[in-house]
Amino acid sequence: MFKNEHIPLNTTIVQLPLEISLLEIAAYLQQGKAVFTELNDVISLFIPEEASLLSCFKASTLHDLLEETSYFTTQAISLPSSSLLPELIQTTNRPVLIKDKKGTVQGYATLLDLYQASVLEQHKWASYFAVLADTVTDAVTVVDRDGAVICWNHVAEELYHLPSADVLGKRIGEHFDVETLMVLKILDEGRVIRNTYHRPRPDTHVLINASPIRDGHGQIIGGIATEQDITQLVRLNEQLTTADSYGIAQVEQANDLFSLISGKGPAIGKVIQWAKKVAATETPVLLIGESGVGKEQLAHIIHQSSSRAQEPFLTLNCGIVPSGLLEAELFGYQGGAFSGSESGQAGKLEQAKDGTLFINEIEKLPLDLQAKLYHSLTQQTIIRSGGTLPIGVRTRIIIATTADLAGKLAKQEFRSDLYYALNVISIRIPPLRDRTEDIPAMVQMYLKQFSLQYQKPVPTLSPEVLLAFTNHDWPGNIQELKNVIERCLILSDEDTIQLEHLPTALQQLQPSLALAESDNQTSLRAKISEDEEMIFIEEALVKTGRNKSAAAKLLGISRGTLYNKMREFGLE
C-alpha cells in the first residue's frame, strides 16, 4: 500500500573469492571499495575504514583470515526495516549487507545508518498518519493493546464533544460503555468490522469500520476505528416515521402540487424551482434523466400546475409503439374506404388539443416523423396520415429522453430544427443515487401509500434497512425504490421492516461483521440446540484455560455474548 524510502546505502562493493590475498583486499579497501565473501554460508564484510586492521593478522589469504577470526562476520537482510533492528543488534555489531528481493547484493549499511533511517521513517509515518487522521471526514480512534487512546482526531472531538486532551492516554472505556465499544471487541476477538451500524451512545448513531493492528509477528498491538456520523439520517427517519404528517401533506398538496415530489435536497430542489417557472408558460419543456427518475410524474405535475390543468394530459412513449404505428398514434389518420372508418381517428396531438402531450423517449422517433412534428409545432397545425386538410391545434409539448440528444444531433441521428424547437427549457432530473438525502422522505411516502393499499399499519424501518437504502445505487431509480417498498410491505407481518424483507441484492450491501480468519476458530452455528451450544462453550473454556476473552474469540462471539450465555447455562 505504501512504499518505504530507501535507506542510505554504500554501493561501492565487490565480491571476491576466498583465494585472494590480503594485500589485494587491502588495495580494494584503500580505493574506497568494500569487499565481501562467503565461507560455509557465513558472510564476511570488509569496509574501507578497516583497511589497517588486516596487517594485525598472520594470514596471507582471505580464506586463512576467515579461519583465523570471525571478527568480520556479518548479516545480510533483504528488506531494511526498523523491525529488524533489535534482531540485528543482538546478532552482530557489524555493518550489514543489503539485498534486493532477488537476493542480489545492492550495498551495505552500518547499524547507525539503519537506526537513523528507521527513526526518520517513524517520524515520517507519524506525520503522514497525523495529517491523514485530520483530513478524513470520519471520526478516527486508535487504541493500544490496553485500550488506551493514542489517536483522537478533530472529527471525533466534534462528534462526541470530547477534546483530545481529555481522551488521549486514557482508556476508552472511561468515556463509553465498555460493552458497546467495537474497538475493544476487536482487541479481544481479532474481528474486522466493515460498514456496521453502531450506537456508541444513546444519542449517537454511526457507521463504523474497525480493524485490529498487528505487529510483524501477527500479535494484536492495538485497534483502529473510523466512524461516519449518521445520527441526522436516523433521526430524520424516526421523525418521518413517528410524525402524523398525513394531514399536513394533504394541505400542502392542495396548495402546491410540487409537494408530491418527495425530497428536500438541493438537487431535487433545483428541479422543482425550474419546473414551477415553466409551468406558468406555454413553452415546450425537455426533461432529461435515467429511466425511473420520475419524468412522467414531473410532466404531469407541470400540466396540473399550469393554466391547462382542466384540459387533457396524454402520453406517448416512442420506445414501446412500433415505428409503423407512430405516425397514426401521433397525428391520427384520415377516414376512407381503405381505413374502414369514414371519420378516421384523431392522433394524440389532436386529442390533447388545448392540453398537454408528454412524449417519452423522443430519441426513438424516426427522422421523417421528427420533421413532421417540427412542422406541427411551428405552424400549430397537424395533417392526419392520409389526409390533406390542416387541423389547428395548440397542444403543449413536454418531451423526455434518457439519451444525449446533443450527441445524436452531432451524429445526425436527431433533427437539429426539432431539437432547437423543443429544447427551449431543459430540466435534468438527478438519479436517486445522487439524492440519497431524499430517500427517507420518499420511503415514508411509499410506506403510507402501500400500507393504505394493502390495509396494513405503517411499519417502521430498522436502522440497518435505512442504511441499506442509502448505500444502494438504485439503478432502477424511483421505480425500483417503490418496488422494494411494496415488497417489504407484502412480506412483513411485524411492526418493523428487517433486513430479511429486502431483496438479496440489497441484503448483500448490509453492514455486517466479518470475522477475522483463523484456522482454529470454531464459530457457533446459527441453529443448534441449547445442549449443543452449552457443550461448545464448555469446550472453548477448557481449551483456553477458562480465559473468557480467548474463549469468545474461539467461538466467534463477543465477550458480552459469552458472559450472557454462561449466566444462562450456569457456567460461571
Side-chain angles (χ1 to χ4, degrees):
M1 185 180 296
F2 294 104
K3 182 178 183 299
N4 291 332
E5 294 180 0
H6 295 295
I7 65 170
L9 279 183
N10 295 291
T11 57
T12 307
I13 187 171
V14 294
Q15 183 176 9
L16 296 179
L18 294 169
E19 297 78 16
I20 195 169
S21 69
L22 295 189
L23 291 176
E24 291 177 284
I25 292 177
Y28 276 102
L29 298 180
Q30 289 168 359
Q31 295 173 12
K33 298 178 181 179
V35 174
F36 75 96
T37 191
E38 188 172 345
L39 175 62
N40 299 328
D41 296 328
V42 176
I43 300 174
S44 297
L45 175 65
F46 304 86
I47 61 176
E49 292 82 358
E50 299 171 333
S52 59
L53 293 179
L54 297 181
S55 61
C56 300
F57 298 95
K58 298 178 181 180
S60 59
T61 66
L62 181 54
H63 182 277
D64 294 340
L65 176 63
L66 299 183
E67 291 286 351
E68 180 180 345
T69 181
S70 61
Y71 174 81
F72 299 99
T73 299
T74 189
Q75 301 288 326
I77 59 176
S78 297
L79 295 175
S81 170
S82 58
S83 63
L84 295 175
L85 275 178
E87 297 177 9
L88 289 172
I89 292 173
Q90 292 176 11
T91 56
T92 183
N93 59 1
R94 302 275 302 147
V96 295
L97 288 179
I98 308 297
K99 295 182 178 180
D100 60 18
K101 294 181 179 179
K102 297 180 180 180
T104 304
V105 173
Q106 298 297 305
Y108 69 95
T110 66
L111 293 181
L112 179 61
D113 290 336
L114 291 176
Y115 173 75
Q116 291 176 337
S118 67
V119 171
L120 290 175
E121 193 78 5
Q122 289 177 349
H123 287 168
K124 179 187 71 176
W125 288 116
S127 299
Y128 284 170
F129 182 80
V131 174
L132 177 63
D134 279 330
T135 300
V136 297
T137 56
D138 292 351
V140 178
T141 306
V142 184
V143 299
D144 62 16
R145 187 64 185 88
D146 297 323
V149 181
I150 58 177
C151 176
W152 184 259
N153 72 345
H154 72 278
V155 182
E157 290 181 316
E158 295 174 358
L159 177 61
Y160 294 111
H161 306 291
L162 286 172
S164 57
D166 295 343
V167 179
L168 292 177
K170 299 179 181 178
R171 286 183 57 83
I172 189 70
E174 294 182 19
H175 299 283
F176 300 88
D177 184 355
V178 173
E179 285 301 320
T180 68
L181 288 176
M182 292 291 189
V183 74
L184 290 185
K185 291 181 180 180
I186 64 174
L187 291 180
D188 292 333
E189 304 163 17
R191 290 191 292 174
V192 175
I193 298 170
R194 292 290 179 265
N195 294 326
T196 301
Y197 169 74
H198 183 41
R199 196 171 185 177
R201 287 180 170 177
D203 59 345
T204 306
H205 304 264
V206 299
L207 191 62
I208 187 171
N209 290 277
S211 299
I213 302 172
R214 301 179 185 272
D215 62 15
H217 302 289
Q219 299 298 314
I220 295 178
I221 59 173
I224 183 170
T226 63
E227 298 166 293
Q228 178 187 351
D229 185 11
I230 58 170
T231 303
Q232 294 303 320
L233 180 64
V234 174
R235 286 178 179 172
L236 175 60
N237 178 57
E238 293 173 348
Q239 291 169 3
L240 289 170
T241 302
T242 57
D244 183 14
S245 58
Y246 182 78
I248 297 175
Q250 291 292 87
V251 174
E252 288 179 348
Q253 291 172 18
N255 297 326
D256 183 7
L257 290 172
F258 287 95
S259 64
L260 292 170
I261 302 177
S262 294
K264 304 299 181 183
I268 198 64
K270 178 65 72 173
V271 170
I272 293 174
Q273 178 185 353
W274 286 17
K276 285 182 176 180
K277 291 181 178 180
V278 300
T281 70
E282 297 291 312
T283 185
V285 183
L286 171 60
L287 304 181
I288 306 169
E290 298 176 3
S291 297
V293 295
K295 297 187 291 294
E296 184 173 350
Q297 180 195 23
L298 181 60
H300 201 177
I301 292 175
I302 291 174
H303 168 75
Q304 291 294 330
S305 301
S306 71
S307 58
R308 299 170 178 256
Q310 303 304 317
E311 304 298 334
F313 174 85
L314 302 180
T315 66
L316 174 66
N317 192 321
C318 300
I320 62 175
V321 178
S323 58
L325 298 179
L326 271 174
E327 182 175 9
E329 280 289 312
L330 194 55
F331 300 99
Y333 59 87
Q334 187 61 42
F338 293 102
S339 67
S341 171
E342 294 184 3
S343 60
Q345 177 68 49
K348 292 290 180 69
L349 278 168
E350 189 177 345
Q351 294 174 32
K353 181 181 180 181
D354 298 326
T356 302
L357 176 62
F358 173 66
I359 305 177
N360 201 359
E361 297 190 71
I362 187 68
E363 71 276 6
K364 295 182 180 178
L365 189 69
L367 290 174
D368 59 332
L369 293 186
Q370 290 181 25
K372 191 172 182 179
L373 179 60
Y374 170 73
H375 181 270
S376 297
L377 290 176
T378 54
Q379 301 300 318
Q380 291 193 339
T381 60
I382 60 133
I383 298 178
R384 291 182 179 182
S385 178
T388 57
L389 295 177
I391 302 173
V393 295
R394 53 182 298 273
T395 303
R396 184 182 189 178
I397 302 295
I398 300 178
I399 64 170
T401 180
T402 61
D404 176 16
L405 290 187
K408 287 186 172 292
L409 191 67
K411 296 177 182 178
Q412 296 183 343
E413 296 175 355
F414 199 88
R415 290 185 62 94
S416 59
D417 50 6
L418 179 62
Y419 174 78
Y420 291 115
L422 294 175
N423 192 22
V424 179
I425 299 292
S426 62
I427 300 176
R428 185 174 297 274
I429 305 175
L432 194 54
R433 62 180 173 274
D434 292 340
R435 41 182 294 219
T436 54
E437 68 277 4
D438 295 333
I439 289 178
M442 298 177 70
V443 167
Q444 292 304 319
M445 180 183 71
Y446 293 130
L447 280 175
K448 292 174 182 177
Q449 174 183 323
F450 290 117
S451 294
L452 185 63
Q453 177 180 337
Y454 292 105
Q455 295 298 299
K456 285 187 172 185
V458 179
T460 59
L461 298 183
S462 69
E464 292 85 353
V465 170
L466 182 61
L467 284 174
F469 285 152
T470 55
N471 287 337
H472 189 44
D473 283 341
W474 299 108
N477 291 294
I478 295 175
Q479 187 58 53
E480 182 185 3
L481 177 63
K482 288 179 65 177
N483 293 344
V484 171
I485 296 298
E486 185 173 10
R487 167 200 169 97
C488 291
L489 255 296
I490 294 173
L491 296 181
S492 174
D493 294 323
E494 306 295 334
D495 295 334
T496 303
I497 294 176
Q498 305 289 350
L499 295 181
E500 62 187 30
H501 301 132
L502 297 179
T504 303
L506 268 74
Q507 289 188 38
Q508 293 173 347
L509 297 176
Q510 296 325 297
S512 60
L513 297 178
L515 294 178
E517 295 181 359
S518 175
D519 293 335
N520 63 345
Q521 187 179 64
T522 303
S523 297
L524 287 177
R525 290 180 292 164
K527 295 182 179 180
I528 60 177
S529 67
E530 289 187 356
D531 290 339
E532 289 176 314
E533 190 175 14
M534 184 170 65
I535 291 172
F536 276 153
I537 293 174
E538 287 178 328
E539 289 178 350
L541 290 170
V542 171
K543 288 179 181 179
T544 58
R546 304 197 70 80
N547 183 311
K548 296 182 179 62
S549 295
K553 179 179 179 181
L554 185 64
L555 291 166
I557 59 178
S558 69
R559 282 188 306 170
T561 300
L562 177 59
Y563 291 154
N564 292 334
K565 292 291 183 182
M566 290 177 65
R567 283 193 294 269
E568 179 181 345
F569 296 131
L571 298 177
E572 294 179 303

